Structure formats: structure tokens, C-alpha cells
Amino acid sequence: MANTVKMTVNGKAVSGDVEARTLLVQFLRENLGLTGTHVGCDTSQCGACVVHVDGQSVKSCTLLAVQANGSKVTTIEGLAPAGGDLHPMQAAFREHHGLQCGFCTPGMVMSAVDLGKRNKAPSEQEVREWLEGNICRCTGYHNIVKAVMAGCRAMAAGPAKAAAAKGGDDD
Ligand code: FES
Ligand code: FES
């Protein structure tokens, strides 16, 4: 049976008919074409599907679309303004080589932005613990952790100081 869901995704009001079993990640990818949110497992372990729902990072494969009805959802596509600068966390991933194939990256970045909103200067240990639910098969995590630490500092510094905060501890 179809259910109509309505939500705000990346600042736009959207709606669609979904089955009761449709996952939020399926709604985002298949109904809205927002394929930056990835599916890397069927066990809710990889974190490639992380988006923000009402400001909190959530694995979008663990939520039904109907459960997100009425919510504000942000995906990787909505993190930076269209045609504008990268979000400071995206810029930090680029600067610190925090990705290789990039498959895990949208989920990593969305998780990391949530951390940056809670902790202006997380330690390496805090970053590693926060990213426990995000799996990367390529990088060995070292540069991801550096990127997240720098990205959180850049978020705290604000756009004007982001450029200064991103330098200094790269290889
Ligand atoms: S797709 Fe792997 S945790 Fe959601
Ligand atoms: S960069 Fe390839 S899975 Fe993380």
C-alpha cells in the first residue's frame, strides 16, 4: 500500500508515494535521485548512507521513509550551497587527502559535520570513537581522522578563518 510522505530535503519541500517498507535511503536515491547517499551494506554497519535528519546524523538505511515524514533532511548534496564553496568539512577532506575511492566519503563527511557541531576541537581518540559506525575500505583512516579534526576546527572558526585553520598539520 502506498503512503505519501512529505519532508524538506536540502531546503526543498518534497513529497512522494512510498511503500511502508521503503527505507529513507531508497526514497532519497530512487525517488529524489540524490545518489550521493550511498548504500554499502545490508547490515547497517558501513555508514555510507549517513544523512542528517532534523540536524542529527542518522544511517538512512535504518529509518523508514515514513518515519522521516515531516522531517528536515540534509544529504551530502545539500551540505554546501550550489555553485558555492565547499563546506569546511568537505574542504578539509580534500586538503588532508581523507579519501581514495570516495565511496564512504559522503557518509564520513555527514557524520563528521555532526561531530563538528558538538565538539569544536575533538581529539584523535574522540574522532576515532565517533566514526566507529563508518567503515572505509581504502584509506586506513589516518587521513580521515586528520581531516575530521581539521574540519571541526574550521567549522568552529567560521568561513573567514577556515582557510587558516586547515593548514599546519598536514603531511
Ligand atoms: S548502507 Fe551500510 S549502514 Fe546504511
Ligand atoms: S575511500 Fe574508499 S571506502 Fe573509503
Side-chain angles (χ1 to χ4, degrees):
M1 193 177 95
N3 302 267
T4 301
V5 291
K6 295 181 182 185
M7 58 188 90
T8 303
V9 178
N10 298 335
K12 277 193 213 155
V14 299
S15 63
D17 291 333
V18 297
E19 292 181 44
R21 66 181 178 180
T22 301
L23 299 170
L24 177 59
V25 68
Q26 293 174 307
F27 180 67
L28 294 170
R29 288 177 57 87
E30 293 164 23
N31 290 56
L32 304 182
L34 294 171
T35 54
T37 301
H38 292 163
V39 178
C41 71
D42 56 10
T43 53
S44 302
Q45 285 180 312
C46 76
C49 62
V50 171
V51 299
H52 293 179
V53 176
D54 293 330
Q56 307 235 346
S57 54
V58 170
K59 289 179 173 175
S60 60
C61 73
T62 64
L63 209 62
L64 296 168
V66 292
Q67 290 177 296
N69 191 33
S71 302
K72 285 188 182 161
V73 176
T74 306
T75 70
I76 192 72
E77 290 92 343
L79 201 55
D85 289 340
L86 293 176
H87 183 282
M89 190 60 73
Q90 293 172 307
F93 269 70
R94 183 172 68 181
E95 177 77 13
H96 294 272
H97 310 292
L99 63 143
Q100 287 182 19
C101 81
F103 191 84
C104 69
T105 311
M108 286 283 182
V109 169
M110 296 309 285
S111 293
V113 169
D114 192 8
L115 175 61
K117 287 194 279 185
R118 298 160 193 258
N119 188 337
K120 293 177 178 175
S123 66
E124 177 178 340
Q125 187 61 27
E126 287 172 327
V127 171
R128 288 185 183 276
E129 282 172 15
W130 184 262
L131 293 180
E132 246 174 28
N134 293 79
I135 293 173
C136 176
R137 291 176 186 274
C138 303
T139 64
Y141 300 98
H142 182 66
N143 285 358
I144 290 176
V145 172
K146 283 204 305 186
V148 174
M149 291 171 74
C152 290
R153 289 199 305 274
M155 283 174 64
K161 295 180 190 162
K166 74 184 179 185
D169 64 350
D170 211 348
D171 284 334

